[in-house]
Amino acid sequence: MGDGRTTATTHEERHTGAGRARLHEAALRLFAEHGVSGTSLQMIADALGVTKAAVYWHYRTKDEIVLGVLTPVVEDLTGVVGAARARRGPRARTEALITGLVDVVVRSRMVYVVLAGDPFIGELLGKDERLRAVVEEMTDLIAGPGHDEAQRVSALMFLAGLVGPLNHPACAAIADDDLRRHLVDGGRRLLLTRAAAKG
Amino acid sequence: MGDGRTTATTHEERHTGAGRARLHEAALRLFAEHGVSGTSLQMIADALGVTKAAVYWHYRTKDEIVLGVLTPVVEDLTGVVGAARARRGPRARTEALITGLVDVVVRSRMVYVVLAGDPFIGELLGKDERLRAVVEEMTDLIAGPGHDEAQRVSALMFLAGLVGPLNHPACAAIADDDLRRHLVDGGRRLLLTRAAAKG
DNA sequence: GTCTATAATGCGATAGAC
DNA sequence: GTCTATCGCATTATAGAC
């Protein structure tokens, strides 16, 4: 410390810089709007007002940028899955997963849109073990073996359905508390009520 | 007829050829798996066992390929929206839209995954009027003005949620009739039941 | 209807100066 | 931490032979 460098960063310390937060912010907005494959490093660099090479100082590959953006939410989701698994009984586990998952996705908003909605993530699942694990465990908890066909369909509807309100402009103005409540209500109706008899 | 040409096609008749169906099939599978932006014309050509130039004989741009794949479903959805609008009362309209929409998406399966789930479509909405119109009218019917905040969130959950079961491998084996029933049940629980009191 | 060949551009990624 | 400059490659798209 005390030398001429304003931001001392070794190769391993890059992830602690403040520039990383701005990069995540810009990349995330572009990923959610155009998709990961539809977002070039040039677009990210332009949004930050820098060049591609500057972006590459923070991350060595595009995959690492995507993982860097997703990692905080992936860790939150790992906690939610663990807490839900600690409950006894499938209904209690489902209830815990609904409220925990909604809490995470509303806090992060656009991150879940990328995580659950972007086709590029499917390719990343084969490369990153933690990502693959949390997605698989989350799905298994409410749609895995032990649940019947109808419940599995409802569960997949819920997991994918969260993306709808999150990235729709009509819901951008909804306060976090209200959005959370509506999403939890929707999840309970989908997953914790019996199907009505056909009319 | 009777001359040496095996497939007589003028510039305007291209869309009636049998090769178009194979192209749609191959492109659709790739779009649903890798996303539109993640699918190159080379990948489509490889899947067909031909070269890129052969693909360009059918369509002049990638956008036209996407629109060509989506158009049959867009037309089906236009019919569903019209039929739903003919009903009187918001509940009847919602019910008609649920059953009609589910019918269309189960018949087409992967097309709706691209239409409702791919970020690239957002860019196409600004270029194709029929596409923009049907998406807007469909959303307005169950999530437009006249519905409260909770209902709008549920509606967007439903529209986005359909993608989940449709592209998940665990649901590929479900028979069309069963999948239709489960999706309609889920839609009714989301959109036609009151929210349960918080426990 | 499909091919080879090519134009023009953009992509992810690297090297090295400051 | 950011820059300029560049490499090698893939991309969309076109021209013209068969």
Side-chain angles (χ1 to χ4, degrees), chain A residues 105-113 166 171-172 174-176 179:
Chain A
V105 303
V106 169
R107 214 180 322 128
S108 64
R109 296 248 178 176
M110 287 182 298
V111 179
Y112 187 79
V113 174
L166 288 174
C171 294
I174 299 183
D176 281 5
L179 182 57

Side-chain angles (χ1 to χ4, degrees), chain A residues 40-41 52-53 56 60-62:
Chain A
S40 69
L41 296 181
K52 276 191 296 177
Y56 271 103
R60 273 188 296 244
T61 66
K62 191 180 179 183

Side-chain angles (χ1 to χ4, degrees), chain A residues 7-84:
Chain A
T7 51
T9 48
T10 69
H11 219 74
E12 295 76 25
E13 285 166 339
R14 287 182 185 172
H15 303 272
T16 62
R20 192 200 60 156
R22 282 186 62 231
L23 205 165
H24 282 180
E25 211 177 335
L28 176 56
R29 198 175 322 115
L30 290 165
F31 287 161
E33 187 176 351
H34 307 284
V36 175
S37 294
T39 302
S40 69
L41 296 181
Q42 187 67 62
M43 291 164 75
I44 298 174
D46 289 348
L48 291 170
V50 299
T51 64
K52 276 191 296 177
V55 172
Y56 271 103
W57 190 87
H58 294 280
Y59 289 102
R60 273 188 296 244
T61 66
K62 191 180 179 183
D63 283 10
E64 283 186 14
I65 298 178
V66 178
L67 285 173
V69 169
L70 297 185
T71 293
V73 167
V74 168
E75 289 173 356
D76 286 350
L77 289 179
T78 304
V80 168
V81 167

